[in-house]
Amino acid sequence: MSYHHQFTGRTEGIHPTAPLRCRRLDGLIGAFWEAEGEAGGRGYYLSANPRISIFFSDVSSIRVAERKGAVRRTGRPMARAFYVPAGTPMWTSFTSPLSFSHLDIHLNPQKMVNLLAPSLGRAAALGILRRPAEVEKTCGLERLAQLMVDEVTMPEHHDLYAESLAASLVTGVLDLRERRTQRAEGRLTRAQMRRIITTFEAGGGRRLTVAEMAEAVGLSESWFSRVFRNTAGMTPLQWQSRQRIDLAKTLLGEGERSISEIADRLGFSDQAHLTRVFHQVEGETPAAWRRAHQIG
């Protein structure tokens, strides 16, 4: 199957420590990188095709975000293994110097649909491939990834062997087992909750609709509302009210904005609206809360 690699990468303060090694296979390209990043180093990456990355050391000192300008403000620690859908941008920033190596597998989308559809159905496969995924426990994946690196750097087996390794890595990073467990138990995964939090924070505290929250994790609105309540112990709108009031308290404590300005900053219709929601959550008005928490 033909594969056209369309990838954009721009970096500052990140330098390769060895030549890039690549291997082109049926519907994918495997690439092994060794590099180092300076404190304050940063990168921007965008691919027309989906890809997975598996890192061979701790990379939590790298912050990552999907929106320009958000990486320093709301960026989260980079996971050791993750999947990036086609057309999804990624910005990174190094908080401290780091030497690292990682395996990237750039994928033909149709090849991935053909891999997943026999077990999951075409619609489910397409939905999964549209959603980012992260994996926290990577021990098994790292062993497979090292075998794949061996095949990229010093091929010893038939292409089918390397392609089978790549398929195992893809399905491991997508974590299909966790998705089945999540649906059976009616709960959101940790990765899905992180995605919701990131989407909410990217909006600067303005309220999202339930449909927008559901879309962020690729679920139907009705199913999302059910599993969100099972996970968070409250409805999506109640959870957002709690988050927005926490942001309001931070702004009130800073003392630089009026209550009216804070209401506008967080997307409330007016000061009275903020006051009403604040009182429902905290049991007092924003003005009373500010007076009680003023320093000096």
Side-chain angles (χ1 to χ4, degrees), residues 65-109:
E66 291 83 22
R67 294 176 182 270
K68 186 176 182 179
V71 64
R72 296 182 184 276
R73 188 174 63 256
T74 60
R76 62 191 182 279
M78 179 177 281
R80 293 278 292 275
F82 53 86
Y83 165 76
V84 183
T88 301
M90 174 184 290
W91 281 265
T92 62
S93 177
F94 286 67
T95 60
S96 60
L98 180 68
S99 296
F100 60 96
S101 62
H102 63 96
L103 170 69
D104 289 347
I105 301 179
H106 300 265
L107 306 159
N108 181 297

Side-chain angles (χ1 to χ4, degrees), residues 144-192:
L144 284 175
Q146 188 57 62
L147 292 174
M148 185 67 181
V149 169
D150 293 342
E151 286 301 306
V152 168
T153 58
M154 298 181 63
E156 293 186 359
H157 298 85
H158 191 279
D159 285 1
L160 285 173
Y161 173 74
E163 290 162 10
S164 297
L165 288 173
S168 296
L169 287 166
V170 169
T171 55
V173 172
L174 290 176
D175 206 359
L176 307 179
R177 180 196 59 79
E178 183 182 9
R179 291 185 183 279
R180 289 199 301 272
T181 301
Q182 165 257 324
R183 190 165 185 86
E185 295 179 351
R187 296 175 64 85
L188 295 168
T189 66
R190 288 188 294 272
Q192 287 174 318

